[in-house]
């Protein structure tokens, strides 16, 4: 029996584990299918406080893991498939785990175009976060793929760095709100390419361009895929309240189910930043500690 079982091994999960273990709570962290979360697929992280020269994503996550283990966190490589809805909670993956409380920190995955060459150039010109990687494309030519508000926001943000930004959308009309589209159209750095479906990305060691189904090409230094995210929360259906997009609803970090808390990208569909997830992980750990104190 653990005082807390943390599900997920991204910034939120590891930070929560550091705090709960340091508070002398018996802590188990179930790492999930992607140990270290999305940051392990990122090359250089340039906006995490304390690393003035930047830090590699896998390096940052390995250091967070070591930090949690230093204070006594137990870590298992497993994926939680089911979770009971009363305390003590029973979590089932390959094995069964029991906890007085649970912190859900399962994150969210960026939706992809689903073509092989996309994975080939991930982190080598293809990005899923303008806020994270826009800085690396100063005076470059980039494209944003998508037609919703996220695509408009990403394109507008990228104009701070890139020389030219093209919004590429497979349809002639946008899902984005009219005000967001109008804002993008007024920006002299942004152009639009509509009715285009990606066939493949091409390049050598880095991305050089994109080829469309109609046979046309576009030379690029960077491609930002902005078609949304999917929170990893399917296993929580019927256990805690979620919004229409699958993000867990929380009050501070408490979910609708007493004893279950949540933090990071599985609750945050807006910011999706490592530092925000880490902060929420800290909050969840402190909320767990206070809740367990109240039970005593």
């Amino acid at each position: 029996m653990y005082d807390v079982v943390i599900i997920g091994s991204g910034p939120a999960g590891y930070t929560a584990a550091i705090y709960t273990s340091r508070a002398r709570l018996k802590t188990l962290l179930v790492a999930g299918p992607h140990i270290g979360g999305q940051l392990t697929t990122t090359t250089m992280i340039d906006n995490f406080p304390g690393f003035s020269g930047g830090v590699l994503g896998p390096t940052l996550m390995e250091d967070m893991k070591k930090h949690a283990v230093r204070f006594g966190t137990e870590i298992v490589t497993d994926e939680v498939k089911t979770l009971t809805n009363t305390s003590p909670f029973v979590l089932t993956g390959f094995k069964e785990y029991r906890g007085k409380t649970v912190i859900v920190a399962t994150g969210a995955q960026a939706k992809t175009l689903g073509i092989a060459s996309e994975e080939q150039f991930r982190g080598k010109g293809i990005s899923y976060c303008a806020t994270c990687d826009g800085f690396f494309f100063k005076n470059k030519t980039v494209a944003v793929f998508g037609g919703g508000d996220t695509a408009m926001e990403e394109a507008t943000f990228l104009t701070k760095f890139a020389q030219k930004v093209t919004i590429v959308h497979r349809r002639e009309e946008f899902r984005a709100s009219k005000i967001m589209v109008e804002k993008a159209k007024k920006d002299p750095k942004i152009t639009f390419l509509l009715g285009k479906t990606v066939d493949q990305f091409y390049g050598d060691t880095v991305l050089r361009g994109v080829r469309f189904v109609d046979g046309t090409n576009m030379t690029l230094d960077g491609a930002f895929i902005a078609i949304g995210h999917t929170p990893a929360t399917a296993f929580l259906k019927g256990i805690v309240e979620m919004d229409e997009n699958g993000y867990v609803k929380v009050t501070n970090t408490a979910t609708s189910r007493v004893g279950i808390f949540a933090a990071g990208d599985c609750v945050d569909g807006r910011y999706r930043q490592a530092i925000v997830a880490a902060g929420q992980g800290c909050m969840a750990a402190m909320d767990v500690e206070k809740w367990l104190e109240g039970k005593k």
Side-chain angles (χ1 to χ4, degrees), residues 257-283:
R257 183 67 58 187
V258 174
I260 299 180
F261 302 79
D265 285 9
C266 64
V267 307
D268 172 26
R270 179 177 181 182
Y271 299 103
R272 298 192 298 271
Q273 297 297 299
I275 189 64
V276 175
Q280 291 178 341
C282 165
M283 292 164 57

Side-chain angles (χ1 to χ4, degrees), residues 4 8 13 21 49 55 71 85 102 105 116 127 138 143-144 186 193 196 203 227 231 244 251 262 269 280 288:
V4 56
S21 295
V55 60
F71 288 119
N85 60 5
V102 171
S127 171
K138 284 185 176 180
V144 175
K186 289 178 182 177
L193 189 60
K196 292 287 188 177
I227 55 176
E244 65 276 11
T251 302
Q280 291 178 341
V288 161

Side-chain angles (χ1 to χ4, degrees), residues 26 78 92 115 132 173 214 216 246 277:
K26 188 177 181 183
D78 200 348
T92 306
I115 55 179
C132 309
E173 297 179 353
D214 62 11
T216 59

Side-chain angles (χ1 to χ4, degrees), residues 131-292:
T131 308
C132 309
D133 299 328
F135 178 81
F136 300 111
F137 294 88
K138 284 185 176 180
N139 301 317
K140 301 291 186 179
T141 298
V142 303
V144 175
F145 294 81
D149 281 350
T150 299
M152 302 301 146
E153 289 171 1
E154 299 266 281
T156 301
F157 178 82
L158 286 167
T159 60
K160 297 178 181 179
F161 308 101
Q163 185 179 45
K164 180 183 178 182
V165 180
T166 302
I167 296 175
V168 181
H169 188 40
R170 61 181 178 174
R171 298 189 179 94
E172 297 291 337
E173 297 179 353
F174 295 106
R175 299 188 317 277
S177 58
K178 288 184 178 180
I179 191 168
M180 292 298 295
V181 175
E182 288 172 4
K183 183 179 179 180
K185 285 182 175 180
K186 289 178 182 177
D187 195 306
K189 281 191 175 184
I190 297 177
T191 58
F192 293 82
L193 189 60
L194 306 181
K196 292 287 188 177
T197 301
V198 175
D199 179 38
Q200 66 177 339
F201 294 98
Y202 63 86
D204 36 58
T205 56
V206 295
L207 178 72
R208 300 296 182 189
V210 59
R211 183 173 294 111
F212 298 107
V213 171
D214 62 11
T216 59
N217 294 351
M218 181 166 62
T219 301
L220 288 175
D221 298 303
F224 289 81
I225 315 300
I227 55 176
H229 287 72
T230 303
T233 56
F235 72 102
L236 294 171
K237 188 175 182 180
I239 304 296
V240 301
E241 287 186 16
M242 296 182 277
D243 68 15
E244 65 276 11
N245 295 313
Y247 290 95
V248 178
K249 292 183 177 182
V250 292
T251 302
N252 295 323
T253 66
T255 71
S256 59
R257 183 67 58 187
V258 174
I260 299 180
F261 302 79
D265 285 9
C266 64
V267 307
D268 172 26
R270 179 177 181 182
Y271 299 103
R272 298 192 298 271
Q273 297 297 299
I275 189 64
V276 175
Q280 291 178 341
C282 165
M283 292 164 57
M286 296 176 74
D287 287 344
V288 161
E289 184 181 4
K290 186 174 181 180
W291 188 83
L292 287 170

